[in-house]
Amino acid sequence: MLLLLITTSCSQKDTAKKEISFYHWKSKAEFNNQYQKSLKSANANKIYLHYFDIISEHEPNWYDDGIVPTYVLKSVAKEYKEFEIVPVVYITNRVFQVSNLEIQKLSNRIRDLVNQISLKHFNKKISQIQIDCDWTESTKYAYFELLENLGEEFDLDVTIRLHQIKFKERTGIPPVKKGTLMLYNVGDLKNMNQNSILQNSIVKQYIDSETKYPLPLNIALPLFSQTVVKNKDNEIKIIKNAERTIFKNDPHFKQVDVKNFQVVKDTLCKGFYLSEGYEIKLEELSDAEIVNSYQTIKESKLITNGIIFYHMDEKSLSNINLSELVEKL
């Protein structure tokens, strides 16, 4: 009896540690029955809400250095006011390659726009934010300076990619207290034999049982699928979602293997013109691939906390049994 009680207690403790959150990555934060069902089944009360992107343009626009905010959050459904909100700002690596970049000026802009959006939609300032940037060895000094400046105003969480863990001596450790490991978009879109969204064999090229990192990490896991189109010049386009029936039941396409098709006659697909000879790759994820990749992380020496699912999309969420997936993780 005592052993049974101890086992039950440990199981409850493990479950309690696994905080589940979601990304919302659309300019209009709408709320529907599918979102409500998914949030409830995952017992989630935190939303990582995309506020805006910061990009660098060829020609100056709005700001004289050509650095502009885009995809700014436009509206938020009232239901989200019941959740803990973490604003997310995506910054392209190219921003930190601008020759006349003024870090203090940029950090002030980000701070002011984050606060403006928080006050507009939630009637308060929000202290914790996430900065999403795939920085490189050449941009780390400028990026880390920005983080230090923003850290004076906010409790920062930053995204970390697999290569930034494996090659941390080169890419550096960001000056923050916590991070989020992005466990998706890990492979090569152009490699027709890979699932570039997530594949455990790719994760294992970066993470092993001895892998360490000095920051505690949330783990961001994918819930989406996509269709990759490669033309004759090896250029890539991505179509949202992977709808297998479209390609299996249409004579314009020939199935090559389990995930690849070839365009055999010119056609239109979801607004995209596809020419004969184009290659199609369906990138879909099974629960097993997600669970196995997550297990690779858990078997390392990385310090892991909660899980953040990417992202709140009605079609993606309707295609999975979220409560079963959460139980397996």
Side-chain angles (χ1 to χ4, degrees), residues 29-190:
E30 299 173 343
F31 196 87
N32 57 44
N33 290 335
Q34 184 64 60
Y35 292 177
Q36 183 180 36
K37 177 184 174 183
S38 299
L39 289 164
K40 184 177 181 180
S41 68
N43 196 27
N45 58 15
K46 183 185 291 186
I47 306 293
Y48 286 75
L49 188 59
H50 176 250
Y51 267 30
F52 55 90
D53 293 352
I54 296 289
I55 66 171
S56 174
E57 297 192 335
H58 289 292
E59 299 297 330
N61 182 8
W62 190 22
Y63 295 126
D64 55 10
D65 54 14
I67 296 175
V68 300
T70 186
Y71 300 111
V72 178
L73 183 65
K74 294 178 180 177
S75 61
V76 178
K78 66 181 186 302
E79 287 85 354
Y80 289 108
K81 295 180 180 179
E82 304 299 318
F83 293 84
E84 180 183 350
I85 298 296
V86 180
V88 183
V89 177
Y90 172 73
I91 309 177
T92 64
N93 189 50
R94 185 176 170 185
V95 165
F96 299 102
Q97 297 169 337
V98 172
S99 59
N100 60 337
L101 179 64
E102 296 180 45
I103 298 295
Q104 186 62 60
K105 188 176 180 182
L106 177 59
S107 62
N108 290 343
R109 295 174 187 169
I110 293 172
R111 177 201 64 203
D112 292 346
L113 187 51
V114 167
N115 288 337
Q116 178 184 333
I117 294 171
S118 295
L119 288 168
K120 177 181 179 180
H121 296 297
F122 300 101
N123 199 33
K124 63 180 181 180
K125 291 184 178 180
I126 297 176
S127 61
Q128 181 182 346
I129 70 170
Q130 183 180 89
I131 302 297
D132 181 12
C133 178
D134 189 5
W135 83 92
T136 59
E137 186 176 0
S138 65
T139 60
K140 65 181 178 182
Y141 297 108
Y143 177 52
F144 291 178
E145 183 181 346
L146 176 77
L147 294 178
E148 288 173 348
N149 288 351
L150 290 172
E152 296 175 2
E153 173 86 9
F154 300 107
D155 175 17
L156 289 185
D157 170 13
V158 302
T159 58
I160 313 286
R161 270 71 179 178
L162 289 171
H163 72 92
Q164 291 157 347
I165 289 182
K166 183 172 182 176
F167 305 111
K168 55 184 175 289
E169 291 79 11
R170 297 210 303 261
T171 58
I173 309 298
V176 296
K177 294 180 180 178
K178 56 192 172 185
T180 296
L181 174 59
M182 312 304 278
L183 207 61
Y184 57 86
N185 295 339
V186 301
D188 181 2
L189 283 165
K190 294 182 179 180

Side-chain angles (χ1 to χ4, degrees), residues 88-304:
V88 183
V89 177
Y90 172 73
I91 309 177
T92 64
N93 189 50
R94 185 176 170 185
V95 165
F96 299 102
Q97 297 169 337
V98 172
S99 59
N100 60 337
L101 179 64
E102 296 180 45
I103 298 295
Q104 186 62 60
K105 188 176 180 182
L106 177 59
S107 62
N108 290 343
R109 295 174 187 169
I110 293 172
R111 177 201 64 203
D112 292 346
L113 187 51
V114 167
N115 288 337
Q116 178 184 333
I117 294 171
S118 295
L119 288 168
K120 177 181 179 180
H121 296 297
F122 300 101
N123 199 33
K124 63 180 181 180
K125 291 184 178 180
I126 297 176
S127 61
Q128 181 182 346
I129 70 170
Q130 183 180 89
I131 302 297
D132 181 12
C133 178
D134 189 5
W135 83 92
T136 59
E137 186 176 0
S138 65
T139 60
K140 65 181 178 182
Y141 297 108
Y143 177 52
F144 291 178
E145 183 181 346
L146 176 77
L147 294 178
E148 288 173 348
N149 288 351
L150 290 172
E152 296 175 2
E153 173 86 9
F154 300 107
D155 175 17
L156 289 185
D157 170 13
V158 302
T159 58
I160 313 286
R161 270 71 179 178
L162 289 171
H163 72 92
Q164 291 157 347
I165 289 182
K166 183 172 182 176
F167 305 111
K168 55 184 175 289
E169 291 79 11
R170 297 210 303 261
T171 58
I173 309 298
V176 296
K177 294 180 180 178
K178 56 192 172 185
T180 296
L181 174 59
M182 312 304 278
L183 207 61
Y184 57 86
N185 295 339
V186 301
D188 181 2
L189 283 165
K190 294 182 179 180
N191 186 332
M192 305 308 277
N193 295 315
Q194 278 189 4
N195 187 327
S196 72
I197 298 175
L198 183 61
Q199 195 169 304
N200 191 33
S201 60
I202 300 174
V203 176
K204 287 183 174 182
Q205 295 174 20
Y206 295 88
I207 305 294
D208 60 33
S209 61
E210 296 301 311
T211 300
K212 298 178 182 179
Y213 199 72
L215 300 177
L217 301 169
N218 286 319
I219 309 300
L221 296 172
L223 296 179
F224 66 95
S225 66
Q226 61 191 16
T227 301
V228 181
V229 180
K230 184 165 72 170
N231 68 16
K232 296 174 184 177
D233 296 321
N234 210 34
E235 297 170 331
I236 292 292
K237 288 185 182 294
I238 296 176
I239 301 176
K240 182 181 176 183
N241 298 318
E243 299 180 48
R244 182 172 291 274
T245 54
I246 290 178
F247 302 99
K248 289 195 72 171
N249 301 328
D250 190 326
H252 292 88
F253 306 101
K254 174 187 176 183
Q255 186 162 0
V256 178
D257 57 35
V258 68
K259 63 176 173 288
N260 289 291
F261 291 78
Q262 188 172 45
V263 181
V264 294
K265 187 177 180 181
D266 296 359
T267 187
L268 282 172
C269 180
K270 292 193 171 183
F272 289 86
Y273 177 77
L274 305 182
S275 181
E276 181 183 352
Y278 281 22
E279 297 177 68
I280 308 290
K281 178 173 63 166
L282 302 185
E283 297 196 326
E284 305 162 296
L285 285 177
S286 65
D287 283 6
E289 197 70 62
I290 296 172
V291 171
N292 291 339
S293 299
Y294 180 71
Q295 192 62 32
T296 295
I297 302 301
K298 295 294 289 183
E299 290 172 356
S300 72
K301 293 184 178 179
L302 296 173
I303 306 164
T304 61

